[in-house]
Amino acid sequence: MQSDLSRLMNRFQRAAVSAHPLQVHGRVRRITGVIIHASLPMVRIGELCEIRDPVSGRTVPAEVIGFDNDDAVLSPIGDMAGMSTRAEVIPTGSIIQVPVGPGLLGCVVNALGDIVNDNGRDPDAAAGIVALYPTLAEPVNALQRDLVRDPLQLGIRAIDGLLTVARGQRIGIFGAPGAGKSSLISSIVRGTQADVVVIALIGERGREVREFLDVQLGVEGRKRAVTVVATSDRPAIERVKAAHCATAIAEYFRDEGKDVLLLMDSVTRFARAQREIGLAAGEPGTRRAYPPSLFAALPRLLERSGPGVGGSITGLYTVLTEGDETLDPVAEEVKAILDGHVSLSSQLAEKNHFPAIDILRSRSRLMDAVANESHRASATAIREMMARYEEVELLLRVNEYKAGSDAVTDRAVERHQAITDFLRQESHEHSTFNETLDRMWELAN
């Protein structure tokens, strides 16, 4: 009797192991703008679902972003055109993960990590995909991060010399449209000493993507870069996920012990996409109608870069500004989170001074930690001369300043043009760190 019972239990156990779990289907209740409400029990926030329409035959992925009473609130990652009232929602039980590996170098990928352009490489490049990384991940434990000790060459004299960036630093590039952010980014990609470059183009114009890749970056610039693209016409959730996808790819290379340069253009468009999702989901608007969820999402995104254990992610994040930066909640929040800021001046851009970096209104908070004493002394002397010249510039224009009145001012006026020539740099021109320091020493001494 006992043996019969044991055999029966074994049969039930084998049947349970081999049986496929029951797949739960939900139904779309309503679609409002970029938000879908669906009757879908037993799902989690962040879970990936599939929306299948039996009429059109289309399948669109979507992510659960919240709940409204008994309904799940989803944001589709794709165009909802053609979906009908008979559409079903099927949870996958997993979160969004992106394929990562050395095979991504030189490729352009979308917000889900799918390769959309392999830059003419071997079709077997997919063999270089070795793992899956979640798009939403926790930052490295603060007590386990390596200390910041070394500078990272970017090839831009104004930054390397006067706004030195450390390996693992996070710095913002703030400027109005047309101030030269994209050109500066492409110059940095070609001149940096980072092992790997990950570029996130968030909300860019479709025309500018090809121009940026083929003209500004060029063949050499793309060889060691992974580019994540979500143009302005893509759904808001896709633009948000592109930022997380790029960060996840950078995290993989950091975990491999590489020094990664993560360039995100721009955080402002990421914030606008997050606002679009939040308002459509019913969140209240705060400053400039940005929902509270944005101010929680920004530090979660930006804190994922920085020094790791053995590798690092140096983050450069562009921020679009209009008028007074203090009135822009995104610019104010990002500046408070990051380790420094580079301010681009529209006035300098109008004078054809590129890169249009306003040195006196820019600051690297970690420069003192990675620059030697001679470097710091030269940078201080040049900054002081620039500040003194700015004080007397109006007097010089109206011919009210007399040479010999003040020795420090005379020195600043005498070397103004040489400093301007040092800060100006053609997009194809790159300087090594030692060349930059030698020219700074000559200017200061």
Side-chain angles (χ1 to χ4, degrees):
M1 180 68 181
Q2 183 64 34
S3 60
D4 292 341
L5 182 59
S6 298
R7 284 195 297 269
L8 185 61
M9 292 297 295
N10 289 335
R11 286 179 60 187
F12 276 123
Q13 186 176 10
R14 288 195 299 269
V17 170
S18 61
H20 295 286
L22 180 65
Q23 193 173 43
V24 178
H25 288 223
R27 179 72 67 183
V28 171
R29 287 185 180 273
R30 69 178 184 274
I31 300 176
T32 308
V34 297
I35 295 299
I36 297 172
H37 291 255
S39 57
L40 193 64
M42 303 298 290
V43 291
R44 302 165 295 154
I45 290 180
E47 185 171 347
L48 183 65
C49 299
E50 291 183 350
I51 303 173
R52 297 179 184 173
D53 185 71
V55 177
S56 64
R58 293 193 64 217
T59 299
V60 177
E63 184 184 38
V64 179
I65 62 171
F67 301 100
D68 182 8
N69 295 325
D70 294 332
D71 290 347
V73 181
L74 303 95
S75 184
I77 310 173
D79 190 5
M80 290 297 294
M83 287 291 171
S84 69
T85 55
R86 296 179 59 188
E88 295 180 325
V89 184
I90 305 168
T92 65
S94 62
I95 61 174
I96 299 177
Q97 295 179 305
V98 296
V100 294
L104 289 179
L105 292 174
C107 295
V108 179
V109 303
N110 62 17
L112 297 179
D114 300 323
I115 296 176
V116 295
N117 184 301
D118 61 4
N119 198 21
R121 300 175 53 206
D122 189 333
D124 294 331
I129 305 301
V130 298
L132 292 173
Y133 264 50
T135 56
L136 295 176
E138 292 295 324
V140 177
N141 188 301
L143 300 180
Q144 295 177 350
R145 291 182 184 265
D146 295 336
L147 293 176
V148 171
R149 299 184 183 277
D150 302 311
L152 177 65
Q153 175 184 306
L154 300 182
I156 307 299
R157 289 191 295 268
I159 298 178
D160 288 345
L162 300 171
L163 304 166
T164 310
V165 174
R167 295 179 188 270
Q169 184 172 353
R170 303 160 307 151
I171 195 163
I173 301 176
F174 296 75
K181 291 185 295 300
S182 297
S183 298
L184 178 59
I185 287 175
S186 61
S187 295
I188 289 173
V189 172
R190 294 193 298 268
T192 184
Q193 282 186 334
D195 300 321
V196 176
V197 180
V198 180
I199 307 167
L201 301 179
I202 313 297
E204 276 288 356
R205 304 175 185 91
R207 173 191 60 82
E208 293 182 342
V209 172
R210 180 78 181 274
E211 181 180 336
F212 178 82
L213 293 172
D214 293 347
V215 179
Q216 297 187 21
L217 277 191
V219 176
E220 293 301 318
R222 291 183 62 179
K223 281 184 178 179
R224 56 174 174 159
V226 183
T227 308
V228 182
V229 176
T231 51
S232 59
D233 61 303
R234 302 308 300 166
I237 189 66
E238 196 168 325
R239 282 174 271 148
V240 169
K241 286 303 172 187
H244 293 299
C245 173
T247 306
I249 293 172
E251 287 171 334
Y252 160 75
F253 287 107
R254 177 205 62 197
D255 294 345
E256 292 294 306
K258 306 289 187 182
D259 288 316
V260 184
L261 180 62
L262 173 62
L263 295 162
M264 190 172 295
D265 184 18
S266 70
V267 175
T268 303
R269 296 191 181 107
F270 165 85
R272 290 171 181 171
Q274 193 78 45
R275 175 175 62 185
E276 188 177 336
I277 295 170
L279 294 179
E283 284 191 70
T286 55
R287 294 177 58 191
R288 289 204 176 181
Y290 285 108
S293 62
L294 169 68
F295 300 100
L298 279 174
R300 282 201 303 268
L301 174 68
L302 301 178
E303 281 292 337
R304 290 170 64 183
S305 56
V309 181
S312 66
I313 301 175
T314 304
L316 268 65
Y317 302 90
T318 69
V319 180
L320 296 169
T321 57
E322 297 177 4
D324 189 356
E325 290 182 13
T326 60
L327 300 178
D328 186 339
V330 174
E332 186 179 10
E333 187 74 10
V334 171
K335 187 176 289 187
I337 296 171
L338 299 181
D339 307 314
H341 58 278
V342 175
S343 293
L344 300 183
S345 167
S346 298
Q347 288 76 22
L348 288 176
E350 290 168 0
K351 297 176 183 177
N352 203 33
H353 179 123
F354 292 103
I357 300 174
D358 190 335
I359 297 295
L360 297 180
R361 285 154 190 82
S362 304
R363 181 68 62 183
S364 170
R365 298 180 188 172
L366 296 182
M367 179 175 175
D368 289 345
V370 297
N372 59 38
E373 185 176 351
S374 174
H375 182 180
R376 292 196 299 270
S378 297
T380 299
I382 293 172
R383 275 183 170 271
E384 288 176 349
M385 286 188 284
M386 293 180 69
R388 181 58 64 94
Y389 183 86
E390 188 179 79
E391 290 175 2
V392 300
E393 185 176 12
L394 181 59
L395 296 178
L396 291 169
R397 287 181 178 179
V398 297
N399 203 26
E400 287 295 324
Y401 176 78
K402 295 181 179 180
S405 302
D406 180 75
V408 176
T409 302
D410 290 344
R411 183 166 178 257
V413 174
E414 176 191 349
R415 303 198 179 181
H416 170 69
Q417 188 58 50
I419 293 174
T420 300
D421 293 340
F422 168 77
L423 297 176
R424 264 186 170 151
Q425 191 170 341
E426 297 292 336
S427 60
H428 62 272
E429 180 187 358
H430 299 99
S431 296
T432 66
F433 208 73
N434 289 333
E435 290 171 348
T436 298
L437 295 185
D438 290 342
R439 290 191 61 177
M440 286 179 61
W441 189 89
E442 293 173 1
L443 289 171
N445 296 281

